[in-house]
Amino acid sequence: MKHSELPLYPKLSPIYNKIMQLAIAILLIIVLLYLWALGNERYQQTLNEHFHYISQQYLNQASIGVAALIEKDKKSASAYINELATQPWVKDISYYDETGQVIYRSQQQNSINDLFGLSLTESNTSSRFIPFVQELRSDKLDGYIRLTVERKLLIKQLIAAGAGQYRFLGLMLLMAGIVGFFLTRGFNRFSRQGYRYKKVATPKTRL
């Protein structure tokens, strides 16, 4: 009488289990890429909101100061405009009267036509230098203030901080992948050893 021997190893997983595991891995990669793209979109939106907020606040400050100085001392208004334009991210500041004629302007001022490449001698730089315009009003329209901002310089620190965060996040994802790989290999070995059985010798039976 022969006893059936116990299998030394478990049966191999069916092929569809392997395909399912591969499909799940691909799905997780797609989800990860989507979350990465979504985070980058929100990051760019935050940069734009910060850029417009700081620019508008600076323009409001310039408008209040220029409006107050024009009524008292026009020379002081010109000096004030030049002082505001000393910020590294400010391209230029201009004051226009109600008809649109330039009254005061900072050094190296470019017209709107120059910024958008409408002049024969200038190329379009509107993606780099962003103009902001605000009216000056008392009882009537007194004029306009135009602030031209270099976007890259204004958000330079935020871009550097964001790039550092993304590098750190990428490093964490890489380390998580490596840890997952070694854990999988380790548990695989433990599971295989758990299914192994020692071959037990069966006593011979006498007839």
Side-chain angles (χ1 to χ4, degrees), residues 103-141:
I103 305 300
Y104 304 110
R105 63 184 181 183
S106 61
Q107 297 177 354
Q108 299 180 351
Q109 186 258 15
N110 286 346
S111 66
I112 290 294
N113 289 340
D114 292 340
L115 288 178
F116 287 90
L118 301 177
S119 302
L120 295 178
T121 58
E122 300 291 338
S123 58
N124 188 357
T125 57
S126 59
S127 59
R128 178 184 176 187
F129 302 110
I130 314 299
F132 294 85
V133 179
Q134 183 166 310
E135 294 181 348
L136 293 182
R137 285 185 175 274
S138 51
D139 297 333
K140 59 181 180 61
L141 177 63

Side-chain angles (χ1 to χ4, degrees), residues 37-108:
L38 185 62
N40 184 64
E41 183 181 353
R42 290 181 177 176
Y43 170 66
Q44 294 298 329
Q45 183 179 358
T46 301
L47 287 179
N48 287 330
E49 290 175 354
H50 175 78
F51 168 73
H52 283 86
Y53 176 77
I54 297 298
S55 300
Q56 194 60 52
Q57 290 297 314
Y58 202 75
L59 179 60
N60 291 339
Q61 176 188 344
S63 300
I64 293 172
V66 171
L69 290 173
I70 283 176
E71 296 180 357
K72 298 179 180 180
D73 186 0
K74 294 183 178 180
K75 291 183 179 180
S76 297
S78 178
Y80 179 69
I81 287 175
N82 285 322
E83 182 181 352
L84 290 175
T86 56
Q87 290 290 341
W89 44 270
V90 175
K91 173 67 172 61
D92 57 59
I93 300 178
S94 305
Y95 167 64
Y96 302 83
D97 65 13
E98 66 276 7
T99 64
Q101 295 296 319
V102 178
I103 305 300
Y104 304 110
R105 63 184 181 183
S106 61
Q107 297 177 354
Q108 299 180 351

Side-chain angles (χ1 to χ4, degrees), residues 147-164:
L147 168 69
T148 305
V149 180
E150 187 168 357
R151 183 180 184 276
K152 185 177 180 180
L153 288 181
L154 179 57
I155 59 177
K156 182 178 179 180
Q157 293 183 346
L158 283 179
I159 292 176

Side-chain angles (χ1 to χ4, degrees), residues 173-201:
L173 290 175
L174 178 61
M175 292 180 64
I178 295 174
V179 169
F181 172 76
F182 283 112
L183 285 176
T184 303
R185 292 290 300 273
F187 281 119
N188 249 352
R189 290 176 181 176
F190 285 133
S191 63
R192 288 177 182 176
Q193 290 175 2
Y195 280 110
R196 291 177 182 173
Y197 296 92
K198 291 182 179 180
K199 188 174 181 180
V200 180

